[in-house]
Amino acid sequence: MASGKSDIHLYTVGTPNGIKVSILLEELGLPYKTTAIEMSKNEQKEPWFLAINPNGRIPAITDTLPDGSTVNVFESGSIMQYLTNRYDTAHKLSYPAGSREDIQVTNWLFFQNAGVGPMQGQANHFKRYAPEKIQYGIDRYVNETKRLYQTLDTHLADTKKPYLVGDKCTIADIAHYGWVAGSRHLGIDLKEFPALDGWLERMRARPGVEKGRNVPTRDKTFDEETEESKKALEETKKWIMDGQKKDAEKKAAQK
């Protein structure tokens, strides 16, 4: 169980980055409040949210420090490190600070934040959301995503461990979960990466992952494609393009 009293408020959306934090909170057994951010209405750019995260992105949390003051924490990796450093004193999902394993967890956490997330995010954009098909962009980022998957697969196969660092699930695994689960949207067959495929099945079997991936709304990653899901994808494309247009207009007005 996690240690310490929490007053956590999570601001999120059911994306690969958003569910990192809800899964971690469920795995730690921490109570928390949730606000679902309506990105289609650009709520993440409103002043009240920018006061929490100046970059206008989810996820973000607020919590109360021991001195009674409120702390804002943003960027998924930063949030995950904050939560484990403060609340996982029993090292259920972490290792003692400064240990070899703790350093390895940080390695793989940053690998996800700086590698898998950005590259797969661009692959998703060019393949699923871009208003025009640019094959170079699709190939560039899908192939780079597959290269990163191969790195994960080789590591898991070589270490013969169930998780990225040793025998326990850590924030390194949780950070990767939503992205690897979403590989099907890019047409990537995880059977090409058998060790990684086995890892995903172990992650999916965890109750905390199952509960956390459905916050703040039901996760549809593994659902079959329907006319409703196709319509939702088109609506997402529209608000992404609208958001980019508004950002460009705002920048132009500031010149």
Side-chain angles (χ1 to χ4, degrees):
M1 293 293 291
S3 298
K5 184 179 179 181
S6 68
D7 184 30
I8 299 163
H9 196 134
L10 170 63
Y11 302 84
T12 192
V13 178
T15 66
N17 279 337
I19 64 173
K20 291 177 186 178
V21 180
S22 50
I23 288 173
L24 177 56
L25 289 166
E26 294 295 341
E27 287 276 354
L28 288 173
L30 288 169
Y32 62 100
K33 304 181 188 72
T34 304
T35 293
I37 300 299
E38 295 192 56
M39 297 180 71
S40 62
K41 297 180 180 179
N42 235 22
E43 191 175 12
Q44 74 278 11
K45 298 298 178 65
E46 292 183 5
W48 72 266
F49 186 78
L50 292 175
I52 298 170
N53 181 1
N55 193 36
R57 295 288 187 272
I58 61 91
I61 69 168
T62 60
D63 197 6
T64 301
L65 294 176
D67 65 5
S69 64
T70 298
V71 63
N72 302 326
V73 193
F74 55 90
E75 292 296 321
S76 62
S78 176
I79 297 170
M80 297 177 87
Q81 287 188 323
Y82 165 80
L83 291 173
T84 50
N85 288 342
R86 181 171 179 187
Y87 295 109
D88 190 23
T89 56
H91 299 300
K92 178 184 177 183
L93 298 168
S94 61
Y95 292 95
S99 66
R100 181 182 299 274
E101 292 83 2
D102 177 56
I103 294 166
Q104 291 172 341
V105 169
T106 300
N107 288 343
W108 290 108
L109 177 65
F110 280 49
F111 175 86
Q112 194 287 315
N113 288 340
V116 174
M119 294 301 102
Q120 191 168 336
Q122 291 297 324
N124 281 332
H125 179 80
F126 280 102
K127 190 173 179 69
R128 305 182 72 208
Y129 302 120
E132 58 183 295
K133 182 177 180 180
I134 303 174
Q135 195 61 46
Y136 171 80
I138 295 171
D139 293 343
R140 164 76 176 90
Y141 291 110
V142 170
N143 288 336
E144 180 62 8
T145 299
K146 294 176 75 172
R147 185 190 72 80
L148 294 166
Y149 280 16
Q150 186 61 66
T151 299
L152 291 165
D153 185 73
T154 299
H155 170 70
L156 288 162
D158 287 350
T159 61
K160 296 181 172 60
K161 296 293 185 180
Y163 297 103
L164 289 173
V165 182
D167 294 318
K168 73 169 75 171
C169 175
T170 68
I171 58 175
D173 299 283
I174 294 170
H176 281 88
Y177 167 76
W179 292 97
V180 178
S183 58
R184 63 195 298 268
H185 297 311
L186 297 175
I188 296 176
D189 185 357
L190 284 186
K191 299 303 179 186
E192 297 178 37
F193 312 100
L196 185 60
D197 191 33
W199 168 90
L200 180 61
E201 290 308 306
R202 284 189 290 278
M203 291 296 291
R204 287 189 67 185
R206 297 181 67 90
V209 172
E210 178 60 25
K211 190 171 182 180
R213 76 183 180 94
N214 289 294
V215 175
T217 54
R218 191 180 78 81
D219 178 30
K220 300 179 180 179
T221 298
F222 299 103
D223 290 4
E224 294 299 322
E225 188 176 60
T226 63
E227 289 303 316
E228 182 183 355
S229 67
K230 290 178 182 178
K231 181 180 178 181
L233 179 62
E234 291 303 315
E235 290 174 351
T236 300
K237 286 181 183 180
K238 183 179 183 303
W239 68 251
I240 287 175
M241 294 301 107
D242 288 346
Q244 291 181 348
K245 181 180 178 180
K246 289 178 182 177
D247 284 346
E249 291 172 348
K250 183 177 179 180
K251 288 177 182 177
Q254 291 173 341
K255 290 182 179 179

